[in-house]
Amino acid sequence: MSGRVLRRALALASALVALPVPSHAHLVNTGLGPFYDGVSHFALTPEDLLPALALALLAGQRGSRTGRLALLALPGAWLLGGLAGLALPGVSSATALTTVSLLALGGLVAAEARLRPEWVTGLALVLGLLHGYLNGSAMSQAKLGALGLVGIVSTLFVLVALVAALVVSLRAEWTRIAVRVAGSWIAAIGLLLLGWSLRAA
């Protein structure tokens, strides 16, 4: 009797999994409203998440002052760029920009580059403005508006705060090496993306 029930349960589960669901090309629709759609978009989009993670790692490597500057600069620039994208929507994705972001920032983390705080802040501003513009354009096309953008920027703020603070607190040599390895993986993802884009061209 239990074997028959198990087979029926598996058949029912298989049927439910096979049901079609609507797909969304770029933005994630959680059904919880624009703010949470923005949160989930950032968390589930490697093109945005990985460069921001790399910049947070880089800022943390350079110390608490640089981490605080990046914490203000990156989300602020992302918000400004996003508002510009909402007002003047254009392209909503740029593979070349993502590739350059991953290669450059991942490489800097892997090399533990001794950049001055002003340089890291400048990188945060450029990254935020460019990726924010792309997000704003995508939000405009998906009719999520400024609330979706606020969700992205809020998630970005939390990510930079937590990651930069964690890296600043690391003291053991092996933990610093682990951060550099994470940077090398991000750069490697950039190389894979570059190869994929060249093959597709």
Side-chain angles (χ1 to χ4, degrees):
M1 182 71 172
S2 62
R4 187 182 306 170
V5 172
L6 181 61
R7 282 194 299 274
R8 286 182 181 173
L10 286 174
L12 178 62
S14 299
L16 289 175
V17 169
L19 288 175
V21 294
S23 63
H24 304 277
H26 185 63
L27 292 170
V28 178
N29 186 348
T30 63
L32 298 174
F35 179 84
Y36 290 104
D37 287 346
V39 169
S40 61
H41 165 74
F42 181 79
L44 298 174
T45 307
E47 300 95 318
D48 294 331
L49 179 63
L50 290 176
L53 176 62
L55 191 114
L57 292 170
L58 180 64
Q61 283 180 324
R62 302 283 38 96
S64 57
R65 178 171 179 264
T66 307
R68 285 191 295 270
L69 290 171
L71 182 60
L72 295 175
L74 185 60
W78 206 293
L79 179 62
L80 289 176
L83 292 174
L86 283 172
L88 302 165
V91 295
S92 60
S93 66
T95 305
L97 171 64
T98 303
T99 303
V100 170
S101 298
L102 293 173
L103 285 171
L105 294 171
L108 289 171
V109 172
E112 202 169 0
R114 306 271 183 212
L115 298 178
R116 294 173 55 184
E118 295 79 15
W119 283 95
V120 177
T121 304
L123 287 171
L125 291 172
V126 170
L127 181 73
L129 288 171
L130 294 176
H131 281 268
Y133 178 78
L134 294 175
N135 283 163
S137 294
M139 295 288 157
S140 175
Q141 293 168 10
K143 306 286 190 255
L144 290 180
L147 199 52
L149 185 62
V150 170
I152 290 174
V153 171
S154 300
T155 308
L156 177 65
F157 182 87
V158 171
L159 173 81
V160 174
L162 293 176
V163 172
L166 174 66
V167 175
V168 166
S169 71
L170 299 178
R171 294 291 176 257
E173 185 61 27
W174 71 268
T175 58
R176 306 294 288 184
I177 292 171
V179 170
R180 295 178 70 184
V181 169
S184 71
W185 287 349
I186 292 171
I189 292 169
L191 282 173
L192 289 171
L193 184 59
L194 176 62
W196 175 77
S197 61
L198 291 175
R199 180 185 165 125

